Amino acid sequence: QSVLTQPPSVSAAPGQKVTISCSGSSSNIGNNYVSWYQQLPGTAPKLLIYDNNKRPSGIPDRFSGSKSGTAATLGITGLQTGDEADYYCGTWDSSLSAVVFGGGTKLTVL
Amino acid sequence: QVQLVQSGAEVKKPGASVKVSCKASGYTFTSYDINWVRQATGQGLEWMGWMNPNSGNTGYAQKFQGRVTMTRNTSISTAYMELSSLRSEDTAVYYCASLGGRGWYFDLWGRGTLVTVSS
């Protein structure tokens, strides 16, 4: 059971938009920055979003992040088949003194 | 280029220990914490702890306290993660990750080291 809650799967058609939610509590998302990672099959995670809504160099603006209260959201527009991957949210949990991740969301581009 | 290169796959028996290495290049090793994250097959990411390569200070997830040790050799820009008293549930890919910031994010990941615990 993960500390952060994500939907197990989401799907959308190519070109469409999808959002992935990440729910936590005041000890984690509510008072700390959220990051998002993309993990393609058989590869290491890749940072997509950090500090709630910032994109590292090289990440297209099709990817966006937001946070409100104890929940965060990853948005992906203009879906491509290459976006099919597992997506994870992560943050610091002040009560656990640990980095915590969501259980991951599998994105299918139909 | 900027990268973390991890040691190769390991097969260990229950009760043994494993030590995984992570060699940094392309950036100043002592400027960024090294974190370790593991992932069992088909499962999510699990954070194990962090180490400051400059001071050697560490912080471990409660689950691994007493079983994990993170060290470094600054002369060769290499971090190590040793996990002891291995059990089958420790079978996973172990990643080192770095180039983060105050927000506890990780912009650079190693390719992972598969550790298999089997009798």
Side-chain angles (χ1 to χ4, degrees), chain B residues 31-47:
Chain B
S31 293
Y32 296 90
D33 292 349
I34 294 284
N35 288 256
W36 290 88
V37 176
R38 76 177 188 179
Q39 184 174 38
T41 301
Q43 302 300 307
L45 303 174
E46 181 175 34
W47 181 78

Side-chain angles (χ1 to χ4, degrees), chain B residues 31-78:
Chain B
S31 293
Y32 296 90
D33 292 349
I34 294 284
N35 288 256
W36 290 88
V37 176
R38 76 177 188 179
Q39 184 174 38
T41 301
Q43 302 300 307
L45 303 174
E46 181 175 34
W47 181 78
M48 300 179 69
W50 62 271
M51 181 194 65
N52 182 307
N54 186 44
S55 64
N57 289 345
T58 56
Y60 303 139
Q62 187 171 9
K63 176 177 179 177
F64 300 102
Q65 290 271 6
R67 277 211 306 146
V68 70
T69 305
M70 297 177 187
T71 57
R72 88 290 192 210
N73 183 335
T74 55
S75 67
I76 55 173
S77 300
T78 299

Side-chain angles (χ1 to χ4, degrees), chain A residues 37 39 44-45 88 92 98-99, chain B residues 39 43 47 95 104-106 109-110:
Chain A
Y37 302 87
Q39 187 175 35
Y88 294 90
W92 178 257
V99 173
Chain B
Q39 184 174 38
Q43 302 300 307
W47 181 78
Y95 295 101
W104 289 94
Y105 59 89
F106 315 123
W109 294 68

